[in-house]
Amino acid sequence: MSPEVALNRISPALRPFISSVVRNGKIGLDATNNLKITDLKSGCTSLTPGPCCDRFKLHIPYAGETLKWDIIFNCHYPDLPPDFIFGEDVDFLPEPTMLHHLNDWNSQNPDCLLLVIKELVQQYHKYQCDRLHESSRLMFEYTALQEGPEFGDNMEIYAGRKNNWTGEFSARFLLKLPVDFSNIPTYLLKDTVIDPGEDVALLSVSFEDTEATQVFPKLYLSPRIEQ
């Protein structure tokens, strides 16, 4: 479903919030992927004239994964902030005091939902980093990268599900490499009809066990650079 088709199904009172998310929503290191919405539904009765969708699933690219969070508005009370359900991450409990844009929800600002989502992703990053404490080896790798000048804020962490047999979990580090693309000659960059976004090089490092005995690196380049 295209963003325009999805937006036309959203309740008009809520449409500015969702429009800002799908049109301007570039969150995290992978700036080539926009936020997407699917599974549009309505909490209204069947007698309510449309369009009246006020709840949907938000797809967020993060550390090589796609987070799928449910966002639930009430189109009868568009001035109220939405509720959030964080999919399979049942242990993810954001710190309410750190969600400033949710606590001070401003329905007059069309970017207010996008701002809340950014704060939630920051909280989610902290949640995933805290999970690394279950492995001293992975925590060492993370700390070493965190202390370096190149990364720090240019890193996303995803600690996967635990293996039912071993009790261990895999982890993935997504790193934004400090590469300067400004010196690449223009004729080497392929033009695209759609805005390609930021030129970026990302290194994904997957650890298949907590002792980091199996490590799989993979390099990702933004479309304009790769082509």
Side-chain angles (χ1 to χ4, degrees):
M1 182 185 302
S2 71
E4 296 305 322
V5 172
L7 287 172
N8 287 335
R9 294 179 55 189
I10 296 291
S11 170
L14 303 173
R15 198 172 295 159
F17 309 141
I18 290 81
S19 176
S20 175
V21 168
V22 299
R23 289 175 173 162
N24 307 317
K26 294 183 183 293
I27 292 179
L29 300 184
D30 188 1
T32 62
N33 286 328
N34 280 14
L35 302 178
K36 299 178 182 178
I37 61 173
T38 61
D39 299 352
L40 276 71
K41 298 178 182 178
S42 174
C44 303
T45 65
S46 58
L47 299 178
T48 304
C52 57
C53 289
D54 57 2
R55 52 205 64 194
F56 53 88
K57 193 177 297 291
L58 180 68
H59 297 242
I60 306 171
Y62 176 84
E65 298 288 324
T66 299
L67 309 181
K68 298 178 182 179
W69 295 350
D70 290 296
I71 299 182
I72 304 170
F73 281 96
N74 186 332
C75 66
H76 295 300
Y77 301 96
D79 292 337
L80 297 180
D83 292 324
F84 294 85
I85 300 176
F86 302 108
E88 298 179 353
D89 292 296
V90 294
D91 296 327
F92 172 46
L93 300 173
E95 174 54 52
T97 59
M98 300 302 293
L99 302 176
H100 306 295
H101 289 98
L102 184 62
N103 296 326
D104 298 324
W105 179 262
N106 179 10
S107 60
Q108 302 303 309
N109 180 3
D111 293 332
C112 57
L113 177 59
L114 181 59
L115 293 171
V116 172
I117 293 169
K118 289 181 177 180
E119 290 179 334
L120 285 170
V121 171
Q122 290 174 352
Q123 289 279 297
Y124 187 80
H125 174 73
K126 181 179 183 302
Y127 159 73
Q128 290 291 350
C129 293
D130 289 343
R131 292 188 64 198
L132 293 180
H133 284 91
E134 298 182 36
S135 166
S136 59
R137 177 62 186 180
L138 293 180
M139 196 63 201
F140 169 80
E141 299 286 352
Y142 168 72
T143 303
L145 290 169
Q146 188 74 15
E147 292 175 350
E150 301 89 354
F151 303 113
D153 292 336
N154 293 318
M155 175 168 47
E156 292 176 352
I157 305 297
Y158 183 83
R161 297 179 183 176
K162 284 187 175 182
N163 185 299
N164 292 331
W165 296 99
T166 65
E168 295 185 345
F169 62 85
S170 58
R172 184 182 299 112
F173 294 5
L174 186 66
L175 311 171
K176 182 178 180 180
L177 301 179
V179 180
D180 182 7
F181 295 105
S182 62
N183 293 324
I184 298 180
T186 305
Y187 68 87
L188 293 179
L189 298 176
K190 184 174 180 179
D191 293 333
T192 55
V193 177
I194 302 175
D195 179 9
E198 179 187 2
D199 293 329
V200 65
L202 301 175
L203 177 64
S204 172
V205 182
S206 297
F207 300 90
E208 294 303 315
D209 59 70
T210 54
E211 296 304 317
T213 60
Q214 301 182 65
V215 182
F216 300 95
K218 190 172 183 179
L219 180 65
Y220 296 91
L221 301 175
S222 53
R224 195 169 70 134
I225 298 299
E226 185 174 19
Q227 294 173 353

